[in-house]
Amino acid sequence: MFTVDQIKAAHSKVKSGADFPNYIQEMIQLGVTSYETYVSDGHTDYFGKDAYQTSTTPTYDTLFIAEISNAEQFKIDLKAHQQGQTDYPTFCKDCAKSGIEKWTVTMDKMTCTYYDKAENELLTEIIPQ
């Protein structure tokens, strides 16, 4: 199974949202079936076959997640990030301001779903291949 070090090596190649599709392909090759990233501190829970799971430690100081989500502003910020206009730390701060608590990536469906603090699904996107 995959390790946190392997995941960190793959993630180190991601400079902006434009690099995300290649990152997902590398995650699939490692055996990751899904993962959840928490905006509050950047930690991620990774899942693999046969109930395998591993997690990263927090990657930055705690961000305050807005109580009320702003899906329209989030979509604007996400588009900018996907076009390479913002780096990962900026994207995470933008998520927090828009009330995004976490995102879940599911490899078999090739989707990335964003949730607010009430577990409402704010947006699901198909990951380009």
Side-chain angles (χ1 to χ4, degrees):
M1 280 287 127
F2 52 88
T3 66
V4 169
D5 287 339
Q6 289 173 307
I7 291 167
K8 285 181 180 179
H11 196 264
S12 71
K13 300 172 191 173
V14 178
K15 303 302 178 208
S16 73
D19 302 318
F20 190 66
N22 290 334
Y23 170 69
I24 292 302
Q25 290 305 315
E26 192 164 348
M27 296 282 83
I28 290 169
Q29 290 172 1
L30 289 173
V32 176
T33 58
S34 66
Y35 67 87
E36 293 182 333
T37 298
Y38 292 83
V39 174
S40 63
D41 64 8
H43 88 275
T44 302
D45 298 330
Y46 294 91
F47 306 93
K49 294 179 183 173
D50 300 322
Y52 180 78
Q53 179 179 349
T54 191
S55 299
T56 63
T57 57
T59 59
Y60 48 77
D61 292 337
T62 302
L63 296 175
F64 171 78
I65 309 298
E67 293 295 326
I68 298 173
S69 58
N70 184 340
E72 293 310 311
Q73 181 61 51
F74 171 67
K75 289 175 187 175
I76 292 167
D77 295 336
L78 176 62
K79 183 176 182 179
H81 185 63
Q82 290 171 334
Q83 293 174 344
Q85 297 173 20
T86 61
D87 61 11
Y88 186 72
T90 301
F91 175 65
C92 292
K93 290 175 186 173
D94 289 342
C95 286
K97 289 177 191 173
S98 291
I100 304 299
E101 181 174 45
K102 69 176 181 178
W103 62 82
T104 300
V105 174
T106 306
M107 305 309 182
D108 64 342
K109 295 178 182 176
M110 291 302 285
T111 58
C112 182
T113 304
Y114 299 87
Y115 296 92
D116 67 10
K117 289 175 93 170
E119 292 288 323
N120 295 312
E121 181 181 314
L122 296 182
L123 178 66
T124 296
E125 290 199 315
I126 303 296
I127 299 168
Q129 298 182 25

